[in-house]
Amino acid sequence: MTAVADSKPVGIIGGTGLTSLSDLTIVGEETVSTRWGEPSSALVHGVLGQQKVIFLSRHGNPHRIPPHQVNYRANIQALYDAGVRTLVGVNAVGGIHPDMGPAHVVIPDQLIDYTWGRPSTFFEGELEHVTHIDFTWPYDREARELLVATAREAAVPFSDFGVYGATQGPRLETAAEIRRMERDGCDIVGMTGMPEAVLAAELGMRYVSLGLVVNWAAGKSDHIITMAEIEEAIEQGMSGVRLILERSMAGLGQLEVLIPPA
């Protein structure tokens, strides 16, 4: 099977532990700029699972940009300008739900935004009219269903639900903050889920998150969180993330393009 020639490229934004894809056949690399500034990294064009893809490293390559300083608007705009209409955000997260421990994959269905001060909309400045987009369901239903089906077929241990709590960072949370988030209904916690999701929605892109739990959230274990723990979880769980990505690419690339919001 060859790459789908007439399909739109699928975008992948990689986070901690996914600054590159070993199964990606690279066909080109492009340094771009947008009206919002420069994205975190060059756009890497390639083929993954017989589908055209464009990969962007969220924190730069090498990993150098903290989550609160990522230029999310430039990242999303650059991918949109390159033709991406379906986008997978790969996120390293902490586990709050008792079933979502280290190395576990989560495909969240909801989120709560605790971030502050981040430029989080394209709709500002000298506008002709005010635009309010519906954000009831922050993740695209069809893209989620495809990832869920792929994970099941690939026998990757995962959860097909989860409320993603997006925090400011770059520090990790306190135990009290995690208890509050748990009361709010959060199942996982991360620092990059917003405003990435809403910016994609504003442009009418299909957006879905593929989360890898890399540590128990603060207060959910009897020890402090260490980088060694996080690195071990990434090593154990990233193979499942890569497998889901590779096997879902062709299907994601053939999803119908959404009509952008007016």
Side-chain angles (χ1 to χ4, degrees), residues 27-107:
V27 298
E29 189 169 306
E30 181 183 14
T31 300
V32 301
S33 184
T34 76
R35 62 191 177 113
W36 308 104
E38 296 183 358
S40 299
S41 69
L43 303 183
V44 178
H45 296 254
V47 178
L48 180 65
Q50 288 75 52
Q51 169 61 39
K52 293 182 292 185
V53 300
I54 299 178
F55 176 76
L56 187 150
S57 181
R58 184 187 289 115
H59 299 284
N61 192 9
H63 186 115
R64 60 182 175 81
I65 307 172
H68 67 296
Q69 292 186 324
V70 170
N71 191 338
Y72 294 95
R73 289 193 294 192
N75 286 352
I76 299 299
Q77 188 70 61
L79 290 166
Y80 184 88
D81 292 346
V84 170
R85 296 297 181 267
T86 298
L87 177 58
V88 181
V90 180
N91 304 99
V93 298
I96 299 175
H97 190 286
D99 294 337
M100 299 178 185
H104 189 69
V105 173
V106 182
I107 304 173

Side-chain angles (χ1 to χ4, degrees), residues 164-217:
Y164 181 125
T167 58
Q168 179 69 0
R171 68 168 178 85
L172 297 174
E173 302 71 34
T174 68
E177 287 170 332
I178 293 299
R179 289 195 298 270
R180 181 191 67 166
M181 295 177 70
E182 188 169 23
R183 291 193 297 270
D184 287 348
C186 295
D187 298 301
I188 53 177
V189 56
M191 301 175 190
T192 56
M194 284 290 284
E196 199 168 271
V198 72
L199 292 169
E202 286 187 349
L203 293 181
M205 301 169 76
R206 295 181 183 271
Y207 179 88
V208 65
S209 171
L210 184 57
L212 176 63
V213 180
V214 298
N215 58 271
W216 284 112

Side-chain angles (χ1 to χ4, degrees), residues 235-250:
E235 185 175 349
Q236 292 177 357
M238 194 54 71
S239 59
V241 170
R242 294 176 190 274
L243 185 60
I244 294 170
L245 286 173
E246 182 171 5
R247 295 192 179 184
S248 66
M249 282 299 109

